Amino acid sequence: MGQKIHPYIQRIGINKNWRSLWYADRKQYAQNIIEDYKIRTYIKKKFIHAAVSYIVIERLAEQIKVRIASARPGVVIGRRGADIDRLKEDLGKITTKELAIDIIEIKNPSCEAQLVAQNVAFQLEKRVAFRRAVKRAIDQSRQAGVLGIKISVAGRLGGAEMSRRETYHEGSIPLQTFRADVDYGFAESHTTYGVIGVKVWVYKGLTYREKIRTNKISKK
């Protein structure tokens, strides 16, 4: 079961939250989804070297709040906020609503699965041996304090004629435990031999929700 569903989607409502926070009727629903997709795609392409982990889009009445989680917020903000203003102008071509952009700084990128996957993918594009890149990423994450990490790379590894998949893991990865905080990330490395996919699972620990006490009213 843990391998047949996205680990993030499986835990929404338990220890994860939606990354598109809005409600719309049937007429606007499809348009909002397309706008969210275009906004996320544009930001990830524009700030490919800014280590963007995730983007949260919240829609109010006539305003869209975009929260960008990045390990390098200075790259996104630019000098005196010049890049933020330019980003607002570019996103204004996608949507007509007023935009507000917030930057969330990620202090420990080795604990974010998406950033670990991007790091391994960048190293593969620079022709670093895939085993060295994966083991280095695992060591850095373990030193950062994660309880478990699994990295899977698939494609023409090392320029081989036939594509294959290799998986490396260290620690525990409880994919079937709902209260386990498992982060998932995926990135693609475009090499001269073809595309190599990188999947990363990071286990950060168990999360417990506070029990809500309800007083039962006895009927007389």
Side-chain angles (χ1 to χ4, degrees):
M1 180 176 65
Q3 296 177 356
K4 294 178 176 63
I5 192 169
H6 198 291
Y8 191 94
I9 297 296
Q10 194 178 24
R11 288 163 176 81
I12 283 182
I14 300 170
N15 52 27
K16 304 286 184 184
N17 194 10
W18 297 99
R19 290 180 178 170
S20 289
L21 301 172
W22 47 266
Y23 174 81
D25 55 15
R26 290 184 178 181
K27 295 180 180 179
Q28 297 179 341
Y29 192 84
Q31 182 182 354
N32 289 354
I33 289 177
I34 293 171
E35 280 186 2
D36 285 7
Y37 173 77
K38 288 181 178 179
I39 288 171
R40 286 193 173 94
T41 304
Y42 180 81
I43 292 173
K44 287 181 179 179
K45 285 184 178 179
K46 183 177 179 64
F47 301 107
I48 191 170
H49 296 292
V52 176
S53 177
Y54 61 89
I55 300 166
V56 178
I57 299 175
E58 183 179 357
R59 292 175 180 269
L60 302 175
E62 292 296 329
Q63 187 184 42
I64 299 177
K65 287 185 178 180
V66 181
R67 299 191 188 97
I68 304 172
S70 172
R72 300 173 187 168
V75 178
V76 181
I77 297 170
R79 282 189 179 179
R80 299 178 182 177
D83 290 347
I84 288 289
D85 296 336
R86 196 177 300 115
L87 178 62
K88 284 184 179 180
E89 293 178 3
D90 295 339
L91 294 180
K93 300 175 183 177
I94 298 174
T95 179
T96 56
K97 292 186 178 180
E98 183 184 350
L99 287 162
I101 299 175
D102 295 331
I103 308 298
I104 304 171
E105 182 181 2
I106 296 174
K107 296 181 179 179
N108 200 346
S110 298
C111 295
E112 293 290 324
Q114 183 62 35
L115 298 184
V116 174
Q118 290 178 11
N119 183 26
V120 174
F122 286 144
Q123 291 186 58
L124 294 177
E125 289 181 355
K126 295 178 182 178
R127 299 190 177 184
V128 176
F130 71 94
R131 287 192 185 91
R132 184 184 300 173
V134 169
K135 289 179 179 178
R136 187 186 301 168
I138 290 175
D139 292 340
Q140 289 176 351
S141 296
R142 291 288 281 174
Q143 289 174 6
V146 301
L147 299 178
I149 180 171
K150 181 170 74 170
I151 300 179
S152 177
V153 289
R156 294 184 60 185
L157 303 176
E161 289 293 327
M162 186 175 290
S163 64
R164 68 182 191 277
R165 178 184 297 274
E166 289 201 11
T167 304
Y168 301 85
H169 65 89
E170 191 173 321
S172 61
I173 310 288
L175 294 178
Q176 298 186 22
T177 306
F178 286 170
R179 67 175 180 270
D181 187 2
V182 178
D183 194 15
Y184 174 78
F186 172 75
E188 290 182 346
S189 177
H190 298 270
T191 65
T192 54
Y193 299 108
V195 178
I196 296 177
V198 182
K199 294 180 179 180
V200 177
W201 294 260
V202 172
Y203 172 48
K204 300 178 182 179
L206 296 176
T207 56
Y208 296 94
R209 297 178 64 184
E210 294 183 0
K211 292 183 179 179
I212 302 173
R213 295 181 179 179
T214 56
N215 296 324
K216 294 182 179 180
I217 302 172
S218 59
K219 294 182 179 180
K220 294 182 180 181

